[in-house]
Amino acid sequence: MHIDILTLFPEMFQGMFGSGIFKRAIDQKLVSVGIHNIRDYTHDKHHSVDDYPYGGGAGMVLKPEPIFEAVESIKGESATVPIILLTPQGRLFSQQVAQELSQYSHLILICGHYEGVDERVREHLATDELSIGDYVLSGGELAAMVVIDAVVRLLPGVLGSAASPLDDSHVAGLLEYPQYTRPAIYRGWSVPEVLLSGNHAQIADWRREQVILRTLERRPELLDKAKLSSEEKGLVQKLRQS
Ligand code: SAM
């Protein structure tokens, strides 16, 4: 996958791509990233990227020209690459959206700033709009990092063979079971017996039960859409009635 990011603050991405699984994924050529400064696509002597809003009001709005020019030069002839505008007004980002985006070989992300981006970018350039939650950030950079993190870890090979994202919370619409590591007893708090038993079938049953209990306890609405066996549906019903 190749990811292009349009931003006014390219340096914000250095930490993310300079360490950990992203650096490894880049080194192994599983993913490549182009970070483009929107300012580089301006033509006036002050390199202006923003201007006052028509109609008045506080703050500045990102101008359309450098954003259109940047996307057009990056995108080339490709007609299918998603051009994603990060905005608190977009569709809500989720694990499902991450899975959907992980199927593409190229993504373009546009990070807004100040009061936002000229509406014509949304209307005539972006093919998708994503919000990472119902709150307002100062810029789209952190939102883009959230999207990229969730998408890239789904790409084959990125997490390595030992780790699998399949059991993670939200991947199958439920929350993950509790995880423990050594020591078996810490400050008098013990790891559940079954996890020390070495009995893989019992461990799998316990984990599945915990997935359901935990989801029911914390995010009961997720169970309405999740794929459950008839036995599991019975368990949910019993727990809901108790
Ligand atoms: N005035 C805009 C509004 O009310 O819709 C908010 C602008 S915000 C201060 C500046 C930029 O941060 C936005 O253009 C967007 O790129 C980014 N941003 C802020 N909150 C976001 C969110 N929840 N999800 C994704 N991007 C967000």
Side-chain angles (χ1 to χ4, degrees), residues 1-7 12-13 16-17 21-23 25-26 31-35 84 86 93-94 97-99 101-102 107-111 130 132 140-155 158:
M1 176 181 277
H2 180 73
I3 303 172
D4 283 304
I5 305 159
L6 272 66
T7 172
M12 282 183 74
F13 292 89
M16 177 174 189
F17 296 121
I21 68 160
F22 300 104
K23 183 175 184 315
I26 291 169
V31 67
S32 55
V33 181
I35 303 172
I84 303 166
L86 281 317
F93 186 60
S94 65
V97 178
Q99 268 152 6
L101 297 180
S102 71
L107 301 174
I108 299 177
L109 303 180
I110 305 171
C111 305
L130 291 180
I132 62 158
E141 287 74 15
L142 288 176
M145 288 185 217
V146 167
V147 170
I148 293 166
D149 186 318
V151 170
V152 167
R153 68 193 298 285
L154 295 177
L155 302 179
V158 167

mmCIF file of all heavy atoms in Angstrom, residues 1-7 12-13 16-17 21-23 25-26 31-35 84 86 93-94 97-99 101-102 107-111 130 132 140-155 158:
data_model
loop_
_atom_site.group_PDB
_atom_site.id
_atom_site.type_symbol
_atom_site.label_atom_id
_atom_site.label_comp_id
_atom_site.label_asym_id
_atom_site.label_seq_id
_atom_site.Cartn_x
_atom_site.Cartn_y
_atom_site.Cartn_z
ATOM 1 N N MET A 1 0.844 -1.196 0.000
ATOM 2 C CA MET A 1 0.000 0.000 0.000
ATOM 3 C C MET A 1 0.884 1.252 0.000
ATOM 4 O O MET A 1 1.903 1.290 0.676
ATOM 5 C CB MET A 1 -0.901 0.003 1.247
ATOM 6 C CG MET A 1 -1.731 1.256 1.369
ATOM 7 S SD MET A 1 -2.756 1.293 2.841
ATOM 8 C CE MET A 1 -4.146 0.341 2.315
ATOM 9 N N HIS A 2 0.470 2.246 -0.772
ATOM 10 C CA HIS A 2 1.147 3.547 -0.718
ATOM 11 C C HIS A 2 0.162 4.572 -0.147
ATOM 12 O O HIS A 2 -0.999 4.622 -0.576
ATOM 13 C CB HIS A 2 1.624 3.976 -2.108
ATOM 14 C CG HIS A 2 2.312 5.301 -2.063
ATOM 15 N ND1 HIS A 2 3.576 5.458 -1.527
ATOM 16 C CD2 HIS A 2 1.895 6.538 -2.429
ATOM 17 C CE1 HIS A 2 3.913 6.747 -1.580
ATOM 18 N NE2 HIS A 2 2.902 7.412 -2.124
ATOM 19 N N ILE A 3 0.619 5.359 0.813
ATOM 20 C CA ILE A 3 -0.252 6.365 1.435
ATOM 21 C C ILE A 3 0.352 7.743 1.227
ATOM 22 O O ILE A 3 1.517 7.979 1.580
ATOM 23 C CB ILE A 3 -0.405 6.097 2.954
ATOM 24 C CG1 ILE A 3 -0.942 4.680 3.181
ATOM 25 C CG2 ILE A 3 -1.327 7.126 3.602
ATOM 26 C CD1 ILE A 3 -0.948 4.249 4.641
ATOM 27 N N ASP A 4 -0.427 8.635 0.625
ATOM 28 C CA ASP A 4 0.007 10.028 0.478
ATOM 29 C C ASP A 4 -0.760 10.884 1.482
ATOM 30 O O ASP A 4 -1.983 10.760 1.604
ATOM 31 C CB ASP A 4 -0.283 10.523 -0.946
ATOM 32 C CG ASP A 4 0.733 9.990 -1.944
ATOM 33 O OD1 ASP A 4 1.935 10.215 -1.732
ATOM 34 O OD2 ASP A 4 0.321 9.329 -2.918
ATOM 35 N N ILE A 5 -0.022 11.752 2.174
ATOM 36 C CA ILE A 5 -0.646 12.619 3.183
ATOM 37 C C ILE A 5 -0.389 14.069 2.790
ATOM 38 O O ILE A 5 0.762 14.452 2.537
ATOM 39 C CB ILE A 5 -0.018 12.366 4.571
ATOM 40 C CG1 ILE A 5 -0.116 10.881 4.941
ATOM 41 C CG2 ILE A 5 -0.677 13.229 5.640
ATOM 42 C CD1 ILE A 5 0.891 10.467 6.000
ATOM 43 N N LEU A 6 -1.451 14.857 2.743
ATOM 44 C CA LEU A 6 -1.313 16.295 2.470
ATOM 45 C C LEU A 6 -1.491 17.028 3.784
ATOM 46 O O LEU A 6 -2.529 16.868 4.452
ATOM 47 C CB LEU A 6 -2.414 16.758 1.512
ATOM 48 C CG LEU A 6 -2.126 16.653 0.025
ATOM 49 C CD1 LEU A 6 -1.989 15.216 -0.401
ATOM 50 C CD2 LEU A 6 -3.237 17.335 -0.744
ATOM 51 N N THR A 7 -0.516 17.825 4.146
ATOM 52 C CA THR A 7 -0.535 18.459 5.471
ATOM 53 C C THR A 7 0.231 19.783 5.440
ATOM 54 O O THR A 7 1.097 19.992 4.585
ATOM 55 C CB THR A 7 0.110 17.511 6.516
ATOM 56 O OG1 THR A 7 0.265 18.205 7.752
ATOM 57 C CG2 THR A 7 1.485 17.005 6.078
ATOM 58 N N MET A 12 5.052 16.528 11.905
ATOM 59 C CA MET A 12 4.262 15.794 12.903
ATOM 60 C C MET A 12 4.279 14.286 12.657
ATOM 61 O O MET A 12 4.028 13.494 13.554
ATOM 62 C CB MET A 12 2.803 16.277 12.900
ATOM 63 C CG MET A 12 2.608 17.586 13.623
ATOM 64 S SD MET A 12 0.882 18.073 13.686
ATOM 65 C CE MET A 12 0.208 16.950 14.901
ATOM 66 N N PHE A 13 4.564 13.870 11.410
ATOM 67 C CA PHE A 13 4.506 12.440 11.090
ATOM 68 C C PHE A 13 5.829 11.717 11.328
ATOM 69 O O PHE A 13 5.886 10.502 11.235
ATOM 70 C CB PHE A 13 4.062 12.259 9.628
ATOM 71 C CG PHE A 13 2.630 12.672 9.423
ATOM 72 C CD1 PHE A 13 2.304 13.984 9.092
ATOM 73 C CD2 PHE A 13 1.601 11.760 9.598
ATOM 74 C CE1 PHE A 13 0.985 14.381 8.943
ATOM 75 C CE2 PHE A 13 0.275 12.144 9.448
ATOM 76 C CZ PHE A 13 -0.030 13.459 9.112
ATOM 77 N N MET A 16 5.780 9.060 14.130
ATOM 78 C CA MET A 16 4.986 7.869 13.797
ATOM 79 C C MET A 16 5.729 6.918 12.858
ATOM 80 O O MET A 16 5.754 5.712 13.082
ATOM 81 C CB MET A 16 3.679 8.309 13.145
ATOM 82 C CG MET A 16 2.849 7.130 12.702
ATOM 83 S SD MET A 16 1.246 7.631 12.098
ATOM 84 C CE MET A 16 0.478 6.027 11.935
ATOM 85 N N PHE A 17 6.324 7.477 11.793
ATOM 86 C CA PHE A 17 6.932 6.601 10.785
ATOM 87 C C PHE A 17 8.396 6.285 11.084
ATOM 88 O O PHE A 17 8.998 5.472 10.401
ATOM 89 C CB PHE A 17 6.779 7.212 9.393
ATOM 90 C CG PHE A 17 5.344 7.330 8.979
ATOM 91 C CD1 PHE A 17 4.785 8.558 8.665
ATOM 92 C CD2 PHE A 17 4.535 6.201 8.937
ATOM 93 C CE1 PHE A 17 3.445 8.666 8.313
ATOM 94 C CE2 PHE A 17 3.195 6.299 8.590
ATOM 95 C CZ PHE A 17 2.644 7.535 8.273
ATOM 96 N N ILE A 21 6.320 -0.427 14.607
ATOM 97 C CA ILE A 21 5.857 -1.292 13.510
ATOM 98 C C ILE A 21 5.800 -0.540 12.176
ATOM 99 O O ILE A 21 5.946 -1.138 11.122
ATOM 100 C CB ILE A 21 4.500 -1.991 13.786
ATOM 101 C CG1 ILE A 21 3.344 -1.004 13.828
ATOM 102 C CG2 ILE A 21 4.542 -2.841 15.021
ATOM 103 C CD1 ILE A 21 2.011 -1.685 13.605
ATOM 104 N N PHE A 22 5.629 0.780 12.222
ATOM 105 C CA PHE A 22 5.526 1.521 10.943
ATOM 106 C C PHE A 22 6.884 1.622 10.268
ATOM 107 O O PHE A 22 6.988 1.452 9.059
ATOM 108 C CB PHE A 22 4.911 2.900 11.176
ATOM 109 C CG PHE A 22 3.543 2.763 11.761
ATOM 110 C CD1 PHE A 22 3.323 3.000 13.089
ATOM 111 C CD2 PHE A 22 2.501 2.303 10.980
ATOM 112 C CE1 PHE A 22 2.076 2.802 13.645
ATOM 113 C CE2 PHE A 22 1.247 2.098 11.517
ATOM 114 C CZ PHE A 22 1.033 2.350 12.857
ATOM 115 N N LYS A 23 7.906 1.858 11.071
ATOM 116 C CA LYS A 23 9.251 1.918 10.498
ATOM 117 C C LYS A 23 9.595 0.561 9.884
ATOM 118 O O LYS A 23 10.095 0.471 8.771
ATOM 119 C CB LYS A 23 10.272 2.312 11.580
ATOM 120 C CG LYS A 23 11.668 2.447 11.021
ATOM 121 C CD LYS A 23 12.639 2.950 12.049
ATOM 122 C CE LYS A 23 14.015 3.183 11.479
ATOM 123 N NZ LYS A 23 14.543 2.147 10.625
ATOM 124 N N ALA A 25 7.535 -1.747 8.842
ATOM 125 C CA ALA A 25 6.706 -1.987 7.644
ATOM 126 C C ALA A 25 7.255 -1.225 6.443
ATOM 127 O O ALA A 25 7.254 -1.724 5.307
ATOM 128 C CB ALA A 25 5.258 -1.584 7.923
ATOM 129 N N ILE A 26 7.765 -0.019 6.688
ATOM 130 C CA ILE A 26 8.342 0.785 5.596
ATOM 131 C C ILE A 26 9.660 0.147 5.147
ATOM 132 O O ILE A 26 9.890 -0.042 3.947
ATOM 133 C CB ILE A 26 8.534 2.251 6.037
ATOM 134 C CG1 ILE A 26 7.155 2.914 6.211
ATOM 135 C CG2 ILE A 26 9.375 3.030 5.021
ATOM 136 C CD1 ILE A 26 7.173 4.265 6.897
ATOM 137 N N VAL A 31 4.678 -1.108 3.136
ATOM 138 C CA VAL A 31 3.931 0.135 2.964
ATOM 139 C C VAL A 31 4.928 1.251 2.632
ATOM 140 O O VAL A 31 6.086 1.190 3.054
ATOM 141 C CB VAL A 31 3.095 0.441 4.247
ATOM 142 C CG1 VAL A 31 3.966 0.759 5.419
ATOM 143 C CG2 VAL A 31 2.111 1.556 4.028
ATOM 144 N N SER A 32 4.478 2.206 1.833
ATOM 145 C CA SER A 32 5.319 3.381 1.587
ATOM 146 C C SER A 32 4.464 4.620 1.821
ATOM 147 O O SER A 32 3.233 4.565 1.684
ATOM 148 C CB SER A 32 5.893 3.364 0.171
ATOM 149 O OG SER A 32 4.845 3.238 -0.758
ATOM 150 N N VAL A 33 5.127 5.698 2.211
ATOM 151 C CA VAL A 33 4.391 6.893 2.602
ATOM 152 C C VAL A 33 4.991 8.115 1.921
ATOM 153 O O VAL A 33 6.211 8.261 1.870
ATOM 154 C CB VAL A 33 4.481 7.077 4.146
ATOM 155 C CG1 VAL A 33 3.693 8.297 4.582
ATOM 156 C CG2 VAL A 33 3.969 5.849 4.870
ATOM 157 N N GLY A 34 4.112 8.974 1.372
ATOM 158 C CA GLY A 34 4.551 10.253 0.817
ATOM 159 C C GLY A 34 3.928 11.362 1.655
ATOM 160 O O GLY A 34 2.699 11.408 1.792
ATOM 161 N N ILE A 35 4.767 12.202 2.251
ATOM 162 C CA ILE A 35 4.223 13.299 3.067
ATOM 163 C C ILE A 35 4.437 14.588 2.288
ATOM 164 O O ILE A 35 5.582 14.942 1.966
ATOM 165 C CB ILE A 35 4.909 13.340 4.447
ATOM 166 C CG1 ILE A 35 4.716 11.974 5.120
ATOM 167 C CG2 ILE A 35 4.327 14.442 5.319
ATOM 168 C CD1 ILE A 35 5.488 11.796 6.401
ATOM 169 N N ILE A 84 -9.294 11.028 0.771
ATOM 170 C CA ILE A 84 -10.031 11.101 2.045
ATOM 171 C C ILE A 84 -9.765 12.422 2.751
ATOM 172 O O ILE A 84 -8.621 12.740 3.079
ATOM 173 C CB ILE A 84 -9.605 9.932 2.960
ATOM 174 C CG1 ILE A 84 -9.856 8.599 2.238
ATOM 175 C CG2 ILE A 84 -10.344 9.983 4.284
ATOM 176 C CD1 ILE A 84 -9.171 7.420 2.902
ATOM 177 N N LEU A 86 -10.065 14.465 6.087
ATOM 178 C CA LEU A 86 -10.309 14.284 7.515
ATOM 179 C C LEU A 86 -11.130 15.470 7.993
ATOM 180 O O LEU A 86 -10.720 16.624 7.802
ATOM 181 C CB LEU A 86 -8.986 14.219 8.289
ATOM 182 C CG LEU A 86 -8.188 12.907 8.284
ATOM 183 C CD1 LEU A 86 -9.078 11.693 8.475
ATOM 184 C CD2 LEU A 86 -7.330 12.750 7.066
ATOM 185 N N PHE A 93 -15.117 6.936 11.656
ATOM 186 C CA PHE A 93 -14.115 5.900 11.419
ATOM 187 C C PHE A 93 -14.331 4.756 12.408
ATOM 188 O O PHE A 93 -14.661 4.979 13.564
ATOM 189 C CB PHE A 93 -12.720 6.501 11.612
ATOM 190 C CG PHE A 93 -11.620 5.567 11.249
ATOM 191 C CD1 PHE A 93 -11.504 5.060 9.967
ATOM 192 C CD2 PHE A 93 -10.687 5.169 12.196
ATOM 193 C CE1 PHE A 93 -10.493 4.184 9.615
ATOM 194 C CE2 PHE A 93 -9.660 4.299 11.862
ATOM 195 C CZ PHE A 93 -9.566 3.799 10.571
ATOM 196 N N SER A 94 -14.152 3.534 11.931
ATOM 197 C CA SER A 94 -14.357 2.347 12.763
ATOM 198 C C SER A 94 -13.449 1.241 12.252
ATOM 199 O O SER A 94 -12.827 1.385 11.190
ATOM 200 C CB SER A 94 -15.808 1.879 12.666
ATOM 201 O OG SER A 94 -16.057 1.445 11.328
ATOM 202 N N VAL A 97 -14.386 0.345 8.771
ATOM 203 C CA VAL A 97 -13.867 1.273 7.754
ATOM 204 C C VAL A 97 -12.378 1.000 7.533
ATOM 205 O O VAL A 97 -11.885 1.011 6.402
ATOM 206 C CB VAL A 97 -14.128 2.751 8.142
ATOM 207 C CG1 VAL A 97 -13.536 3.693 7.110
ATOM 208 C CG2 VAL A 97 -15.616 3.016 8.315
ATOM 209 N N ALA A 98 -11.645 0.701 8.626
ATOM 210 C CA ALA A 98 -10.215 0.369 8.491
ATOM 211 C C ALA A 98 -10.065 -0.856 7.596
ATOM 212 O O ALA A 98 -9.192 -0.898 6.721
ATOM 213 C CB ALA A 98 -9.601 0.121 9.867
ATOM 214 N N GLN A 99 -10.910 -1.860 7.814
ATOM 215 C CA GLN A 99 -10.832 -3.076 6.994
ATOM 216 C C GLN A 99 -11.122 -2.760 5.522
ATOM 217 O O GLN A 99 -10.439 -3.246 4.626
ATOM 218 C CB GLN A 99 -11.806 -4.131 7.509
ATOM 219 C CG GLN A 99 -11.134 -5.059 8.519
ATOM 220 C CD GLN A 99 -12.078 -5.655 9.541
ATOM 221 O OE1 GLN A 99 -13.291 -5.494 9.470
ATOM 222 N NE2 GLN A 99 -11.524 -6.336 10.516
ATOM 223 N N LEU A 101 -10.649 0.128 3.989
ATOM 224 C CA LEU A 101 -9.537 0.886 3.393
ATOM 225 C C LEU A 101 -8.298 0.019 3.181
ATOM 226 O O LEU A 101 -7.497 0.286 2.276
ATOM 227 C CB LEU A 101 -9.178 2.097 4.265
ATOM 228 C CG LEU A 101 -10.268 3.161 4.425
ATOM 229 C CD1 LEU A 101 -9.774 4.300 5.316
ATOM 230 C CD2 LEU A 101 -10.718 3.721 3.075
ATOM 231 N N SER A 102 -8.147 -1.023 4.003
ATOM 232 C CA SER A 102 -6.950 -1.878 3.882
ATOM 233 C C SER A 102 -6.955 -2.670 2.573
ATOM 234 O O SER A 102 -5.942 -3.253 2.205
ATOM 235 C CB SER A 102 -6.823 -2.812 5.091
ATOM 236 O OG SER A 102 -7.820 -3.806 5.028
ATOM 237 N N LEU A 107 -3.867 5.247 -0.923
ATOM 238 C CA LEU A 107 -4.811 6.155 -0.249
ATOM 239 C C LEU A 107 -4.216 7.557 -0.257
ATOM 240 O O LEU A 107 -3.000 7.709 -0.134
ATOM 241 C CB LEU A 107 -5.017 5.754 1.223
ATOM 242 C CG LEU A 107 -5.556 4.358 1.548
ATOM 243 C CD1 LEU A 107 -5.528 4.140 3.069
ATOM 244 C CD2 LEU A 107 -6.977 4.197 1.027
ATOM 245 N N ILE A 108 -5.074 8.558 -0.396
ATOM 246 C CA ILE A 108 -4.626 9.955 -0.244
ATOM 247 C C ILE A 108 -5.428 10.562 0.913
ATOM 248 O O ILE A 108 -6.665 10.488 0.915
ATOM 249 C CB ILE A 108 -4.851 10.765 -1.543
ATOM 250 C CG1 ILE A 108 -4.038 10.159 -2.700
ATOM 251 C CG2 ILE A 108 -4.477 12.233 -1.331
ATOM 252 C CD1 ILE A 108 -4.242 10.850 -4.048
ATOM 253 N N LEU A 109 -4.725 11.129 1.887
ATOM 254 C CA LEU A 109 -5.394 11.733 3.047
ATOM 255 C C LEU A 109 -5.132 13.233 3.060
ATOM 256 O O LEU A 109 -3.978 13.667 2.916
ATOM 257 C CB LEU A 109 -4.866 11.121 4.350
ATOM 258 C CG LEU A 109 -4.966 9.599 4.513
ATOM 259 C CD1 LEU A 109 -4.400 9.168 5.864
ATOM 260 C CD2 LEU A 109 -6.396 9.137 4.422
ATOM 261 N N ILE A 110 -6.191 14.007 3.253
ATOM 262 C CA ILE A 110 -6.044 15.470 3.304
ATOM 263 C C ILE A 110 -6.313 15.941 4.735
ATOM 264 O O ILE A 110 -7.405 15.719 5.276
ATOM 265 C CB ILE A 110 -7.030 16.173 2.342
ATOM 266 C CG1 ILE A 110 -6.875 15.642 0.916
ATOM 267 C CG2 ILE A 110 -6.854 17.692 2.395
ATOM 268 C CD1 ILE A 110 -7.965 16.129 -0.044
ATOM 269 N N CYS A 111 -5.307 16.572 5.339
ATOM 270 C CA CYS A 111 -5.453 17.079 6.708
ATOM 271 C C CYS A 111 -5.834 18.559 6.657
ATOM 272 O O CYS A 111 -5.072 19.366 6.111
ATOM 273 C CB CYS A 111 -4.134 16.952 7.462
ATOM 274 S SG CYS A 111 -3.466 15.292 7.461
ATOM 275 N N LEU A 130 -13.749 11.351 6.527
ATOM 276 C CA LEU A 130 -13.721 10.545 7.757
ATOM 277 C C LEU A 130 -13.557 11.431 8.978
ATOM 278 O O LEU A 130 -12.746 12.361 8.992
ATOM 279 C CB LEU A 130 -12.556 9.555 7.725
ATOM 280 C CG LEU A 130 -12.648 8.404 6.725
ATOM 281 C CD1 LEU A 130 -11.401 7.534 6.843
ATOM 282 C CD2 LEU A 130 -13.898 7.565 6.946
ATOM 283 N N ILE A 132 -12.774 10.938 13.184
ATOM 284 C CA ILE A 132 -12.360 9.902 14.143
ATOM 285 C C ILE A 132 -13.172 9.991 15.432
ATOM 286 O O ILE A 132 -12.936 9.224 16.361
ATOM 287 C CB ILE A 132 -10.845 9.917 14.435
ATOM 288 C CG1 ILE A 132 -10.404 11.239 15.071
ATOM 289 C CG2 ILE A 132 -10.043 9.605 13.192
ATOM 290 C CD1 ILE A 132 -9.087 11.100 15.841
ATOM 291 N N GLY A 140 -6.055 17.935 11.061
ATOM 292 C CA GLY A 140 -6.357 16.568 10.641
ATOM 293 C C GLY A 140 -5.206 15.586 10.829
ATOM 294 O O GLY A 140 -5.357 14.393 10.571
ATOM 295 N N GLU A 141 -4.029 16.076 11.280
ATOM 296 C CA GLU A 141 -2.847 15.200 11.341
ATOM 297 C C GLU A 141 -3.046 14.035 12.306
ATOM 298 O O GLU A 141 -2.762 12.887 11.962
ATOM 299 C CB GLU A 141 -1.591 16.009 11.723
ATOM 300 C CG GLU A 141 -1.051 16.913 10.626
ATOM 301 C CD GLU A 141 -1.894 18.166 10.375
ATOM 302 O OE1 GLU A 141 -2.751 18.500 11.225
ATOM 303 O OE2 GLU A 141 -1.694 18.810 9.339
ATOM 304 N N LEU A 142 -3.526 14.333 13.522
ATOM 305 C CA LEU A 142 -3.714 13.234 14.479
ATOM 306 C C LEU A 142 -4.779 12.271 13.967
ATOM 307 O O LEU A 142 -4.654 11.052 14.118
ATOM 308 C CB LEU A 142 -4.101 13.781 15.859
ATOM 309 C CG LEU A 142 -2.989 14.486 16.616
ATOM 310 C CD1 LEU A 142 -3.519 15.082 17.925
ATOM 311 C CD2 LEU A 142 -1.847 13.527 16.927
ATOM 312 N N ALA A 143 -5.808 12.812 13.335
ATOM 313 C CA ALA A 143 -6.870 11.951 12.777
ATOM 314 C C ALA A 143 -6.287 11.053 11.687
ATOM 315 O O ALA A 143 -6.578 9.855 11.626
ATOM 316 C CB ALA A 143 -8.006 12.820 12.242
ATOM 317 N N ALA A 144 -5.431 11.629 10.825
ATOM 318 C CA ALA A 144 -4.812 10.834 9.755
ATOM 319 C C ALA A 144 -3.952 9.730 10.366
ATOM 320 O O ALA A 144 -3.962 8.589 9.894
ATOM 321 C CB ALA A 144 -3.963 11.732 8.856
ATOM 322 N N MET A 145 -3.235 10.047 11.440
ATOM 323 C CA MET A 145 -2.372 9.027 12.087
ATOM 324 C C MET A 145 -3.224 7.892 12.638
ATOM 325 O O MET A 145 -2.840 6.727 12.553
ATOM 326 C CB MET A 145 -1.547 9.658 13.202
ATOM 327 C CG MET A 145 -0.441 10.548 12.670
ATOM 328 S SD MET A 145 0.583 11.132 14.043
ATOM 329 C CE MET A 145 0.928 12.777 13.490
ATOM 330 N N VAL A 146 -4.368 8.243 13.218
ATOM 331 C CA VAL A 146 -5.264 7.201 13.757
ATOM 332 C C VAL A 146 -5.726 6.279 12.624
ATOM 333 O O VAL A 146 -5.669 5.050 12.725
ATOM 334 C CB VAL A 146 -6.476 7.852 14.474
ATOM 335 C CG1 VAL A 146 -7.568 6.832 14.766
ATOM 336 C CG2 VAL A 146 -6.029 8.533 15.762
ATOM 337 N N VAL A 147 -6.148 6.888 11.531
ATOM 338 C CA VAL A 147 -6.642 6.101 10.386
ATOM 339 C C VAL A 147 -5.512 5.212 9.851
ATOM 340 O O VAL A 147 -5.684 4.007 9.641
ATOM 341 C CB VAL A 147 -7.197 7.036 9.282
ATOM 342 C CG1 VAL A 147 -7.491 6.270 7.995
ATOM 343 C CG2 VAL A 147 -8.452 7.760 9.787
ATOM 344 N N ILE A 148 -4.333 5.811 9.648
ATOM 345 C CA ILE A 148 -3.206 5.056 9.071
ATOM 346 C C ILE A 148 -2.804 3.907 9.998
ATOM 347 O O ILE A 148 -2.578 2.780 9.549
ATOM 348 C CB ILE A 148 -2.011 5.999 8.802
ATOM 349 C CG1 ILE A 148 -2.375 6.990 7.700
ATOM 350 C CG2 ILE A 148 -0.762 5.206 8.415
ATOM 351 C CD1 ILE A 148 -1.415 8.163 7.574
ATOM 352 N N ASP A 149 -2.740 4.173 11.292
ATOM 353 C CA ASP A 149 -2.354 3.122 12.244
ATOM 354 C C ASP A 149 -3.315 1.936 12.138
ATOM 355 O O ASP A 149 -2.899 0.781 11.996
ATOM 356 C CB ASP A 149 -2.361 3.712 13.665
ATOM 357 C CG ASP A 149 -1.824 2.745 14.710
ATOM 358 O OD1 ASP A 149 -2.155 1.546 14.648
ATOM 359 O OD2 ASP A 149 -1.086 3.176 15.613
ATOM 360 N N ALA A 150 -4.610 2.237 12.197
ATOM 361 C CA ALA A 150 -5.607 1.148 12.187
ATOM 362 C C ALA A 150 -5.601 0.385 10.863
ATOM 363 O O ALA A 150 -5.839 -0.826 10.848
ATOM 364 C CB ALA A 150 -6.994 1.720 12.468
ATOM 365 N N VAL A 151 -5.299 1.074 9.761
ATOM 366 C CA VAL A 151 -5.308 0.420 8.439
ATOM 367 C C VAL A 151 -4.028 -0.397 8.234
ATOM 368 O O VAL A 151 -4.077 -1.566 7.857
ATOM 369 C CB VAL A 151 -5.458 1.465 7.309
ATOM 370 C CG1 VAL A 151 -5.225 0.836 5.939
ATOM 371 C CG2 VAL A 151 -6.848 2.106 7.358
ATOM 372 N N VAL A 152 -2.882 0.220 8.533
ATOM 373 C CA VAL A 152 -1.599 -0.415 8.210
ATOM 374 C C VAL A 152 -1.407 -1.716 9.003
ATOM 375 O O VAL A 152 -0.878 -2.696 8.493
ATOM 376 C CB VAL A 152 -0.433 0.576 8.402
ATOM 377 C CG1 VAL A 152 0.912 -0.129 8.386
ATOM 378 C CG2 VAL A 152 -0.480 1.644 7.312
ATOM 379 N N ARG A 153 -1.868 -1.735 10.272
ATOM 380 C CA ARG A 153 -1.654 -2.969 11.054
ATOM 381 C C ARG A 153 -2.470 -4.144 10.517
ATOM 382 O O ARG A 153 -2.239 -5.283 10.885
ATOM 383 C CB ARG A 153 -1.899 -2.716 12.553
ATOM 384 C CG ARG A 153 -3.319 -2.430 12.926
ATOM 385 C CD ARG A 153 -3.397 -1.880 14.334
ATOM 386 N NE ARG A 153 -2.918 -2.819 15.342
ATOM 387 C CZ ARG A 153 -3.598 -3.886 15.746
ATOM 388 N NH1 ARG A 153 -4.770 -4.163 15.228
ATOM 389 N NH2 ARG A 153 -3.115 -4.680 16.686
ATOM 390 N N LEU A 154 -3.424 -3.854 9.621
ATOM 391 C CA LEU A 154 -4.203 -4.940 9.007
ATOM 392 C C LEU A 154 -3.528 -5.509 7.765
ATOM 393 O O LEU A 154 -3.943 -6.545 7.251
ATOM 394 C CB LEU A 154 -5.606 -4.430 8.610
ATOM 395 C CG LEU A 154 -6.520 -4.004 9.757
ATOM 396 C CD1 LEU A 154 -7.835 -3.452 9.213
ATOM 397 C CD2 LEU A 154 -6.795 -5.188 10.676
ATOM 398 N N LEU A 155 -2.515 -4.825 7.244
ATOM 399 C CA LEU A 155 -1.881 -5.293 6.005
ATOM 400 C C LEU A 155 -1.066 -6.560 6.277
ATOM 401 O O LEU A 155 -0.397 -6.658 7.305
ATOM 402 C CB LEU A 155 -0.975 -4.199 5.414
ATOM 403 C CG LEU A 155 -1.664 -2.875 5.085
ATOM 404 C CD1 LEU A 155 -0.643 -1.879 4.530
ATOM 405 C CD2 LEU A 155 -2.805 -3.071 4.106
ATOM 406 N N VAL A 158 2.497 -7.035 8.393
ATOM 407 C CA VAL A 158 2.901 -5.870 9.204
ATOM 408 C C VAL A 158 3.051 -6.230 10.684
ATOM 409 O O VAL A 158 3.993 -5.807 11.346
ATOM 410 C CB VAL A 158 1.923 -4.685 9.001
ATOM 411 C CG1 VAL A 158 2.136 -3.612 10.057
ATOM 412 C CG2 VAL A 158 2.097 -4.101 7.610
#
